[in-house]
Amino acid sequence: MSVALDHDRPELAAIREHMIIGGKPWTEGDGDAIPVYDPARGVVIAHQLEAGPRQVNEAVKAARHAFEAPAWRDMLPVARERLLLRLADLVEQHGDELARLETLNNGKLLALSQGLEVGAGAQWLRYMAGWATKISGETLNVSIPFPPGVNYHAYTRPEPVGVVAAIVPWNFPLLMAIWKIAPAVATGCTVVLKPAEETPLTAIRLAELALEAGFPPGVVNVITGRGEVTGAALVAHPDVDKIAFTGSTEVGKLIGRQAVDDMKRVSLELGGKSPVIILDDCDIDLAIQGAAGAIFFNQGQVCTAGSRLFVQKGIYDRVVAGLADIASGMKLGSGLDPDTQIGPMISARHQKRVLDYIAIGKQEGARMLAGGAADEGEGYFVRPTVFAHAPAGARISREEIFGPVVVAGAFDTEEDAIACANDTQFGLGASIWSNDLTRVNRLVPRIRAGTVWVNTHNMLDPHMPFGGYKQSGIGREHGHAAIDMYLEKKSVCMAYPAAH
Ligand code: NAP
Ligand code: MG
């Protein structure tokens, strides 16, 4: 059972231990319930059910039923728009409860939960609401010559792809749920969402708010459980039309292979090892702050985290010393404490993984300038860590650590900077720090990444397509691109006699 906590706190009153299937709380799982933790204290705050094949089937059935029901199928686009706008309002009205719940469950700073999970979440809902009324096909001037005397009227009809299985990670739980649900329902799809097993709480609450907003039952379903059980059953379900996945490259590949077997539509937002390139003409203080923000934001648990830092010789020592100073001075603690700058890792397991990488970095011969293990009570803390002088091919420079660990290196020329930046299997994000537009314009086209920032890092907008080159994924979220991922294109070709 959940630990006894002060139930006046709005985030505690918002904890739900059920799933939402077909518009109703679903209280039966398969097997044992799974504990949900507060990572800042290492204590259990709730339990979640695990959906096995039977519950997954119920959820997919509910989504299919809702997809085909006239209440949803025939709903005017403007009515779908209104529902999304109402949901955005409700997310804001419940912002305090949702933000505190996210920080309790995920550990992130409360300001981030307020600004990103809730604030940006509402912004994304409103942006996608606007798309509901702006989906259009094309009239096609075709040249079909047969049979003589017949003309053709041809056009395309965008149609919702159907039942979407959405699987998301734990680093931005509410925001990622919205990134999947909003474009899916804007197009007229229905959704079964599986949040990460570490962070199911805000997703369940979001599904409740969707019902309150007036979404028909079964349009937004949330099922909980482990990836290898619930996620796998959802991916394998024959009545799922599309899988929208955000997570690790390893699991993304597994899902991609399975999707192809069934010809399910699939979009994959995967891992990264994003470079931060600092040129010697930059505003050095801004670049040092920027490099720190790029890696330590959200404890480095960010797919676009700037985990590889490349600084031009000449300013390298100053930048790296400045970064190590910032890292050493950061205050660790609970995300609910307004003085905290670095919260806990998501779980004991993930903390161990990050600390193992720090040990690997030392064994590989890299020099640790700041960071390492932390002893902040029972929580899963890791100090912001800066490595330099890693040998070529070091694992800490190549593998995604997904924690507050950056590896710094120096480069000489722009050509070297490009070679360093692109020397990775990933291609999600990159940033360039420079005040020389000529140099920036030379570099931008040569970086193999889905997003390149200049004098900033990690900034996203609902209108800006987002996704990966190389092993960082397939497809683009946000903007028009996101809408296209939830649509099929039907060609309609009508014959009529040319003359009366
Ligand atoms: P993960 O282990 O790949 O898990 C992601 C989601 O997939 C979770 O809900 C997980 O369930 C589920 N899952 C695991 N195995 C599965 C299977 N066999 N079948 C179906 N679903 C399965 O990733 P994570 O550790 O939660 O998140 C960190 C990763 O996400 C990093 O690699 C990061 O770069 C990536 N990420 C990418 C983006 C992006 O937009 N490109 C954004 C954020 C994060 P469980 O929770 O039970 O494991
Ligand atoms: Mg996981």
Side-chain angles (χ1 to χ4, degrees), residues 161-200:
V161 74
V163 172
V164 174
I167 300 179
V168 294
W170 42 257
N171 57 341
F172 292 94
L174 179 63
L175 187 62
M176 297 268 168
I178 289 173
W179 283 6
K180 304 290 186 243
I181 290 170
V185 301
T187 60
C189 292
T190 58
V191 183
V192 179
L193 175 90
K194 191 206 91 65
E197 70 185 88
E198 292 85 351
T199 53

Side-chain angles (χ1 to χ4, degrees), residues 114-379:
Q114 288 163 336
L116 279 183
E117 307 290 341
V118 171
Q123 186 196 359
W124 252 267
L125 285 165
R126 293 198 176 104
Y127 173 87
M128 287 299 167
W131 270 111
T133 53
K134 291 159 197 72
I135 295 166
S136 49
E138 297 162 293
T139 321
L140 307 168
N141 267 331
V142 295
S143 305
I144 303 170
F146 301 109
V150 171
N151 279 358
Y152 293 91
H153 169 45
Y155 63 97
T156 60
R157 239 187 84 77
E159 294 181 350
V161 74
V163 172
V164 174
I167 300 179
V168 294
W170 42 257
N171 57 341
F172 292 94
L174 179 63
L175 187 62
M176 297 268 168
I178 289 173
W179 283 6
K180 304 290 186 243
I181 290 170
V185 301
T187 60
C189 292
T190 58
V191 183
V192 179
L193 175 90
K194 191 206 91 65
E197 70 185 88
E198 292 85 351
T199 53
L201 299 178
T202 49
I204 302 173
R205 203 55 198 109
L206 180 68
E208 285 186 342
L209 294 177
L211 287 169
E212 197 178 324
F215 279 92
V219 171
V220 178
N221 307 277
V222 171
I223 55 175
T224 52
R226 286 169 296 169
E228 59 273 30
V229 177
T230 310
L234 186 56
V235 167
H237 197 291
D239 208 24
V240 164
D241 297 298
K242 176 191 159 69
I243 303 164
F245 174 79
T246 297
S248 60
T249 294
E250 187 190 349
V251 175
K253 286 182 181 177
L254 205 76
I255 288 178
R257 275 184 218 114
Q258 206 166 346
V260 169
D261 270 351
D262 298 338
M263 281 304 151
K264 290 181 174 120
R265 281 42 183 158
V266 64
S267 48
L268 304 169
E269 298 288 351
L270 308 177
K273 192 80 182 171
S274 298
V276 173
I277 303 161
I278 301 187
L279 301 180
D280 59 6
D281 67 80
C282 71
D283 174 335
I284 295 183
D285 291 333
L286 183 77
I288 292 170
Q289 288 294 337
I295 183 64
F296 300 138
F297 164 66
N298 210 40
Q299 291 73 250
Q301 301 171 137
V302 179
C303 50
T304 50
S307 50
R308 294 182 300 138
L309 173 64
F310 301 109
V311 189
Q312 193 153 25
K313 283 179 187 155
I315 60 166
Y316 173 83
D317 288 339
R318 187 171 153 200
V319 170
V320 173
L323 179 62
D325 271 355
I326 292 177
S328 306
M330 289 182 95
K331 185 174 178 308
L332 277 61
S334 160
L336 292 169
D337 176 347
D339 293 335
T340 295
Q341 294 172 299
I342 288 270
M345 299 287 96
I346 188 66
S347 63
R349 191 173 63 175
H350 190 56
Q351 177 198 35
K352 178 176 182 311
R353 184 182 133 92
V354 175
L355 291 175
D356 284 351
Y357 268 112
I358 293 175
I360 289 168
K362 289 183 193 160
Q363 279 159 22
E364 285 176 321
R367 195 181 321 149
M368 197 173 84
L369 304 176
D375 45 18
E376 310 293 317
E378 297 302 305

